Amino acid sequence: DTAVSQTPKYLVTQMGNDKSIKCEQNLGHDTMYWYKQDSKKFLKIMFSYNNKELIINETVPNRFSPKSPDKAHLNLHINSLELGDSAVYFCASSLGLAGGGTDTQYFGPGTRLTVL
Amino acid sequence: GDSVTQMEGPVTLSEEAFLTINCTYTATGYPSLFWYVQYPGEGLQLLLKATKADDKGSNKGFEATYRKETTSFHLEKGSVQVSDSAVYFCALSQATGNQFYFGTGTSLTVIP
């Protein structure tokens, strides 16, 4: 069984469109994250939720809005897509609070977003 | 603020060579340290971790020792294989402040 799953795996869209990426974890974890990985493999945390509550909200454009309907799901909605949004987006989860000391993060397979 | 610095890549080695990927950190207190690995086309997965000074994390022949005196957590493997080709990320986590810091990643290619 997949621990952290994301859909879709690939997303190609035009500038100005709105799109969503879905993430689900079946590990029973309390905390979920969204990361953005650029073409140079640099990984940047965007958001973190703990039990549906926003914990980390890094400097990310308002066009990005996370939604956590329950603690097993954390979706990412992006409005008015721009060329610079092209990247691989990773969802992750951990047992405890974000940065909670010893907790391991479990990553999904990633969603490659290409904005044309 | 807290940060992690990794050696620049890419690194190319022949099979059975010795591997070292340097990682140093800046942090207050006593963070936990991690190495994650990202195989081509996949998400990151934990390779090993150490949660206190002088701890040694090990997995799949890889090792790293948490050295507080040198603020380092260098990754080593005695004999690399082609299947070790991946991007390796050093990371730091604090128990307070809800923060998790990744290094910039080091790409490793092992050639037969």
Side-chain angles (χ1 to χ4, degrees):
Chain A
D1 267 350
T2 304
V4 182
S5 59
Q6 296 178 227
T7 53
K9 190 167 174 63
Y10 299 96
L11 185 53
V12 181
T13 188
Q14 299 286 333
M15 267 197 318
N17 284 351
D18 303 339
K19 290 293 178 186
S20 292
I21 307 172
K22 295 187 176 182
C23 178
E24 175 181 2
Q25 55 95 3
N26 63 6
L27 298 167
H29 287 168
D30 285 341
T31 307
M32 296 184 73
Y33 314 76
W34 276 110
Y35 288 89
K36 178 180 180 182
Q37 187 176 49
D38 63 21
S39 58
K40 295 183 179 179
K41 302 293 186 184
F42 181 70
L43 202 62
K44 174 184 164 62
I45 189 166
M46 302 173 69
F47 303 103
S48 173
Y49 272 72
N50 177 263
N51 270 319
K52 302 194 298 175
E53 180 184 347
L54 182 64
I55 299 296
I56 293 174
N57 184 2
E58 292 295 313
T59 306
V60 175
N62 290 340
R63 299 181 295 103
F64 290 81
S65 53
K67 294 256 187 325
S68 183
D70 55 62
K71 75 173 192 176
H73 296 84
L74 180 62
N75 303 323
L76 183 66
H77 188 75
I78 316 169
N79 289 328
S80 303
L81 277 156
E82 300 178 357
L83 292 176
D85 297 332
S86 295
V88 181
Y89 292 83
F90 286 101
C91 178
S93 73
S94 66
L95 185 61
L97 277 174
T102 62
D103 287 346
T104 299
Q105 293 189 45
Y106 294 80
F107 284 77
T111 296
R112 182 174 293 278
L113 171 65
T114 303
V115 182
L116 303 175
Chain B
D2 294 0
S3 66
V4 175
T5 302
Q6 283 183 240
M7 66 183 279
E8 295 273 333
V11 174
T12 303
L13 294 174
S14 297
E15 209 165 18
E16 299 184 4
F18 184 85
L19 168 71
T20 300
I21 301 178
N22 289 338
C23 172
T24 56
Y25 68 91
T26 301
T28 56
Y30 302 93
S32 295
L33 301 172
F34 305 77
W35 277 102
Y36 282 81
V37 58
Q38 184 180 24
Y39 297 105
E42 298 183 11
L44 280 72
Q45 56 186 273
L46 180 70
L47 180 60
L48 53 86
K49 70 180 182 183
T51 58
K52 60 182 188 297
D54 300 326
D55 266 3
K56 178 188 281 188
S58 60
N59 186 24
K60 299 181 181 179
F62 290 89
E63 292 183 341
T65 300
Y66 187 161
R67 303 261 187 226
K68 190 153 178 69
E69 63 276 13
T70 54
T71 61
S72 65
F73 193 55
H74 304 322
L75 182 68
E76 296 182 336
K77 186 174 185 182
S79 175
V80 293
Q81 305 300 313
V82 172
S83 57
D84 293 327
S85 298
V87 180
Y88 292 82
F89 292 88
C90 186
L92 172 158
S93 172
Q94 289 281 20
T96 59
N98 298 322
Q99 288 295 338
F100 202 92
Y101 303 89
F102 280 95
T104 51
T106 302
S107 175
L108 169 67
T109 301
V110 180
I111 54 178

